[in-house]
Amino acid sequence: MARPISNPFARFLTPEARRLLDQAPDRHTRSQGLGFTGFLCREGIPLSEANEEHLRAYGAELASLGVRRLKQAIRDSARAWNKLVDTVPGWPRHRLVPPTSHRSLLRFEDLPEEFRQDCLTYLSSRAEAGEDDLFSDSSTEPWAAATVKDRRGKLCQLALHYIETGGRLSELKSLSDLFVGNTFKKILKRIESKTGGQKNGHAANLAHNLLIIAKHYVEAPQEVIDAIRNAKNKLRPGKMGMTAKNRSRLRALIQDKDLPRLLRLPSDFIDTLDVSCPTLSDAVKVQSALAIQIVLLAPMRAKNLAALDIDEHFDFVSQTQTHIEIKGVDVKNDADLSYVLGPRFMRLYRLYVDIYLPLLRKGSNSSALFISRNGLVKSPAALGSQVQAFIKARTGLYVNIHLFRHLAGYIFLLHHPGQYEPVRQLLGHKDIRTTTNFYVGLEDEAIFKSYSAILERLITEIFDNEGDDNV
């Protein structure tokens, strides 16, 4: 019988791997586990040593073969593996974590060596750029380390879109290959298709990165540059700012009077703890409460929150106060961040560090503030999911970490209408226009609400006065 094209690695299965797979609980699990298992056998990797890096490499291999619904295919492989762990005697006992984001399917290390080296040359050129020529329209400021890291991720996404349009990963030799013929148009069309035809900031940002490469690195023809710029402008939303979904969540949080429960959540939770009998489960919950307390007082981005390091970022000036200092090279817009946290934070911090953090460290000397049960630094996505689930379980509210930043700006403007500059500093925005774009609509609502209250008082006074005249 001819081997299905969906299982190109079946022929590499070793007799032992085939024997184990034949014990799968159902045909569906066996089929989904076959490809990754065959890939491991082809690479000579023992099943007992398989990990997420191998899963990503398998994803890159599938991408080069033009497999559709790549993200789902990798997730299915990981889930099949985990089901085999639970049901097949003799199968390795460790589980695999399915990728949760589009970019995780293709890592920078998965790119072909020659193409990867050209990408590094490009990134290095941008990091060292900055010849400040007053009369040149091509001179730019050098990229900070955080920007370089972000652009590496964008290059992986562009390469993945190239693959999804029918290109082969193995054929990528340089960034110039992205502009051969109509390749760049296919990539932009693919980016647009991901948005469902809607204007989208992320899609426009990818197009902008393609434009930078075309203009400043490969020196593409002007007609190519113009075409990419035109596509970027069509993809870019007319007004940048808070999404409609977050505006709705923020309104509900304020208007339904749920805000006090959220503000009190960290303190209320730790009052319920039995600190005389600390558990690993409690340690994770206290960690969530601490993260909430930090973003309430210091509304930083999730990436910076997850990366907080006790030795590097904290300056404890007293038993009741500490400063958090984050350098611009680690921040999205290269702006330094500085926050002052007082007694409310310190009470929870001391509880976490003295009693619960050692349970997570498991003997390691890591100075990271947020670590997983395995002792490794917790990723922003993992910490975000954990905090969101913690809030949902205890309040019924749907609040993600990023919403705390919007909440901070909104609360400040409710009490100080029109004062956007302090909000810009609080949130670490580089441009005041970013701040106004986010909050001008919500502040307008507060203004109209105040006006309605004034109008209602005037109407009441008029009726009261008319009543007095009739006496």
Side-chain angles (χ1 to χ4, degrees):
M1 180 181 295
R3 184 180 299 110
I5 193 169
S6 59
N7 291 324
F9 301 99
R11 64 190 179 91
F12 298 108
L13 287 172
T14 63
E16 177 62 14
R18 189 179 296 277
R19 182 187 70 79
L20 290 172
L21 270 177
D22 285 343
Q23 300 178 56
D26 53 72
R27 186 175 61 181
H28 187 64
T29 302
R30 183 184 185 279
S31 176
Q32 290 187 333
L34 176 60
F36 180 54
T37 306
F39 170 79
L40 294 172
C41 293
R42 190 195 74 174
E43 298 299 310
I45 301 169
L47 300 189
S48 60
E49 296 179 9
N51 57 39
E52 285 76 14
E53 290 293 332
H54 300 137
L55 193 63
R56 281 190 286 269
Y58 174 58
E61 189 80 19
L62 290 183
S64 68
L65 293 173
V67 172
R68 295 184 177 182
R69 299 187 66 194
L70 187 58
K71 184 176 182 179
Q72 190 61 50
I74 303 305
R75 283 182 174 173
D76 289 344
S77 296
R79 289 166 182 161
W81 175 280
N82 293 336
K83 194 168 185 178
L84 292 167
V85 169
D86 295 334
T87 58
V88 175
W91 195 270
R93 308 321 298 164
H94 64 281
R95 307 177 72 81
L96 297 178
V97 179
T100 56
S101 66
H102 188 68
R103 73 180 65 185
S104 66
L105 292 175
L106 191 62
R107 297 282 293 270
F108 193 73
E109 294 75 15
D110 299 327
L111 299 174
E113 174 66 21
E114 195 172 347
F115 181 73
R116 187 168 70 247
Q117 288 301 320
D118 193 46
C119 289
L120 289 173
T121 301
Y122 161 67
L123 293 170
S124 177
S125 71
R126 304 317 302 165
E128 297 171 359
E131 51 178 78
D132 194 9
D133 186 349
L134 179 63
F135 303 102
S136 172
D137 64 353
S138 62
S139 61
T140 59
E141 292 184 4
W143 286 351
T147 304
V148 171
K149 183 177 180 181
D150 174 74
R151 297 303 189 268
R152 278 177 50 143
K154 295 293 192 300
L155 288 170
C156 290
Q157 292 176 63
L158 289 172
L160 188 55
H161 287 310
Y162 164 83
I163 292 167
E164 291 172 341
T165 61
R168 284 189 168 276
L169 185 63
S170 59
E171 294 175 357
L172 277 178
K173 305 298 182 184
S174 70
L175 286 167
S176 299
D177 293 335
L178 300 179
F179 303 92
V180 174
N182 289 326
T183 301
F184 75 95
K185 290 184 178 180
K186 293 179 180 178
I187 292 173
L188 289 168
K189 281 287 187 182
R190 180 65 182 174
I191 292 172
E192 181 190 31
S193 70
K194 294 285 187 178
T195 71
Q198 302 297 314
K199 293 180 181 296
N200 180 279
H202 175 68
N205 191 276
L206 280 176
H208 177 69
N209 277 270
L210 197 62
L211 178 62
I212 293 174
I213 297 168
K215 184 177 180 181
H216 298 295
Y217 187 65
V218 304
E219 298 181 354
Q222 189 60 44
E223 58 266 25
V224 171
I225 293 172
D226 291 341
I228 299 174
R229 182 182 289 111
N230 186 51
K232 183 191 78 169
N233 292 336
K234 289 183 177 179
L235 290 168
R236 184 174 57 199
K239 179 182 178 182
M240 302 296 287
M242 196 183 307
T243 64
K245 183 181 291 187
N246 277 334
R247 283 179 181 270
S248 177
R249 290 172 180 167
L250 203 51
R251 289 190 191 103
L253 188 61
I254 299 294
Q255 295 175 2
D256 292 345
K257 299 182 179 179
D258 287 321
L259 184 58
R261 284 195 296 151
L262 181 63
L263 299 181
R264 292 196 308 262
L265 177 56
S267 298
D268 288 349
F269 170 72
I270 62 174
D271 287 340
T272 67
L273 287 170
D274 179 6
V275 295
S276 65
C277 186
T279 66
L280 192 59
S281 177
D282 284 342
V284 175
K285 295 172 185 174
V286 175
Q287 185 181 80
S288 296
L290 181 66
I292 293 169
Q293 191 65 77
I294 291 175
V295 290
L296 279 171
L297 298 169
M300 63 188 69
R301 295 177 178 86
K303 182 187 74 171
N304 296 119
L305 177 69
L308 285 177
D309 186 281
I310 297 171
D311 292 342
E312 181 180 353
H313 299 118
F314 288 81
D315 180 14
F316 297 95
V317 297
S318 71
Q319 291 296 315
T320 58
Q321 187 181 103
T322 185
H323 291 232
I324 294 180
E325 305 284 347
I326 303 175
K327 296 179 180 178
V329 293
D330 298 320
V331 181
K332 178 182 177 181
N333 58 11
D334 306 330
D336 292 345
L337 298 178
S338 180
Y339 305 99
V340 181
L341 281 66
R344 190 175 295 277
F345 163 78
M346 289 301 296
R347 176 194 175 205
L348 184 49
Y349 172 82
R350 289 262 59 101
L351 178 73
Y352 174 68
V353 170
D354 294 343
I355 298 177
Y356 294 98
L357 185 55
L359 298 179
L360 296 168
R361 283 177 172 164
K362 296 181 179 178
S364 76
N365 58 357
S366 171
S367 59
L369 187 63
F370 297 110
I371 58 177
S372 303
R373 294 174 187 237
N374 58 10
L376 300 177
V377 177
K378 188 154 286 185
S379 70
L383 183 61
S385 297
Q386 175 184 312
V387 167
Q388 188 170 302
F390 178 80
I391 295 172
K392 181 70 175 177
R394 280 154 186 79
T395 67
L397 302 173
Y398 182 89
V399 181
N400 56 50
I401 282 184
H402 197 72
L403 196 64
F404 282 97
R405 286 175 57 79
H406 298 320
L407 180 63
Y410 188 39
I411 289 175
F412 188 93
L413 287 169
L414 281 177
H415 292 82
H416 305 281
Q419 296 189 28
Y420 289 107
E421 176 56 24
V423 177
R424 184 194 69 77
Q425 296 179 33
L426 177 68
L427 300 180
H429 290 158
K430 202 168 187 177
D431 192 328
I432 190 68
R433 289 174 296 183
T434 303
T435 312
T436 55
N437 283 341
F438 269 104
Y439 296 102
V440 67
L442 287 170
E443 193 182 29
D444 286 347
E445 294 172 14
I447 292 172
F448 282 115
K449 188 175 181 180
S450 298
Y451 170 71
S452 296
I454 293 171
L455 195 63
E456 195 63 38
R457 286 199 302 270
L458 287 173
I459 293 172
T460 302
E461 290 174 5
I462 290 171
F463 277 114
D464 288 346
N465 290 335
E466 288 179 351
D468 292 340
D469 293 339
N470 293 329
V471 173

